[in-house]
Amino acid sequence: MKKVAIYPGSFDPITNGHVDIIERGVEIFDELIVAVAHNPQKANLFSEKERVDMIRQIFKGRKNIEVDSFSCLLVDYVARRQAKVIMKGLRFVSDFEYEFQMALTNRRMNSQIETLFMMASEPYSYLSSGLVKEIASLEGSVSGMVPKLVEKRLREKLQKKGKGKKDAVS
Ligand code: PNS
């Protein structure tokens, strides 16, 4: 039986911290499915399709890494994909409360599914998609925090947004 794990998240956008967790995760499982959450209530910078496309390009040619999206309950998605493990990254103690609550709630909904936490590697332990977006939006450098492709997409997206704003007032 193939050991499949699901690595869910918003990935808005994917950071080098996420990439590190994915690379370490595929060493443990036969297959890792990176599952991009579609949440219309959340104001994401990148659309679901853009987030999926970026991750697909980053892991292009990697046979044991699949990139997918889901819009239902995570436990239902995991069951549909016939996986048994949800893999999550943990950074600081501050992540723990939220992650612990989600892991226990997910277990209550489906006790067949385990949540496995992997500690972030030290250089990425402070990284978050939110901070990356804030730095990029204030024209700071996010080099080394995100893959090169994401850096490029962030610049393009923020330029487009800035242009939209200027067009609206002119
Ligand atoms: O990267 P994020 O934003 O921390 O990821 C959170 C995510 C997508 C894993 C979480 O919001 C989720 O599982 N959403 C799917 C809907 C769901 O199952 N909600 C109940 C969780 S207990």
Side-chain angles (χ1 to χ4, degrees):
M1 231 338 231
K2 261 210 306 191
K3 284 201 189 85
V4 181
I6 308 280
Y7 180 41
S10 302
F11 305 107
D12 185 44
I14 185 166
T15 67
N16 284 342
H18 296 125
V19 170
D20 171 63
I21 297 284
I22 295 168
E23 292 292 5
R24 288 162 54 208
V26 284
E27 294 293 320
I28 298 169
F29 296 97
D30 299 318
E31 193 186 337
L32 190 71
I33 301 172
V34 182
V36 176
H38 174 69
N39 182 356
Q41 268 103 54
K42 211 167 163 184
N44 288 309
L45 178 63
F46 292 97
S47 70
E48 175 195 335
K49 185 180 176 305
E50 288 169 331
R51 286 177 280 149
V52 168
D53 284 351
M54 276 190 276
I55 307 171
R56 282 203 179 129
Q57 284 204 44
I58 291 162
F59 295 102
K60 204 171 159 189
R62 301 286 297 271
K63 288 196 170 56
N64 48 358
I65 301 173
E66 184 189 324
V67 186
D68 193 12
S69 61
F70 70 104
S71 53
C72 56
L73 274 177
L74 177 58
V75 284
D76 291 345
Y77 174 75
V78 175
R80 179 156 59 78
R81 297 303 314 258
Q82 296 183 309
K84 287 204 158 44
V85 175
I86 297 169
M87 201 183 78
K88 303 256 10 221
L90 260 191
R91 291 163 302 183
F92 293 115
V93 184
S94 49
D95 274 349
F96 183 76
E97 208 175 317
Y98 171 65
E99 293 295 346
F100 189 58
Q101 186 183 20
M102 276 208 294
L104 291 185
T105 311
N106 282 332
R107 192 194 289 163
R108 193 194 164 106
M109 289 190 284
N110 187 334
S111 59
Q112 305 294 305
I113 296 168
E114 280 295 343
T115 303
L116 232 146
F117 291 103
M118 194 178 268
M119 296 306 297
S121 296
E122 215 183 301
Y124 308 119
S125 58
Y126 58 89
L127 256 188
S128 75
S129 301
L131 274 183
V132 162
K133 282 185 282 189
E134 186 173 334
I135 295 166
S137 72
L138 296 168
E139 293 172 28
S141 167
V142 292
S143 170
M145 298 182 192
V146 292
K148 285 274 172 235
L149 170 80
V150 176
E151 243 185 288
K152 184 167 173 274
R153 292 287 157 82
L154 267 168
R155 259 196 313 272
E156 290 165 357
K157 174 69 80 181
L158 293 164
Q159 257 165 22
K160 228 188 245 172
K161 277 190 99 181
K163 189 176 178 302
K165 252 189 225 159
K166 268 185 220 147
D167 289 349
V169 287
S170 60

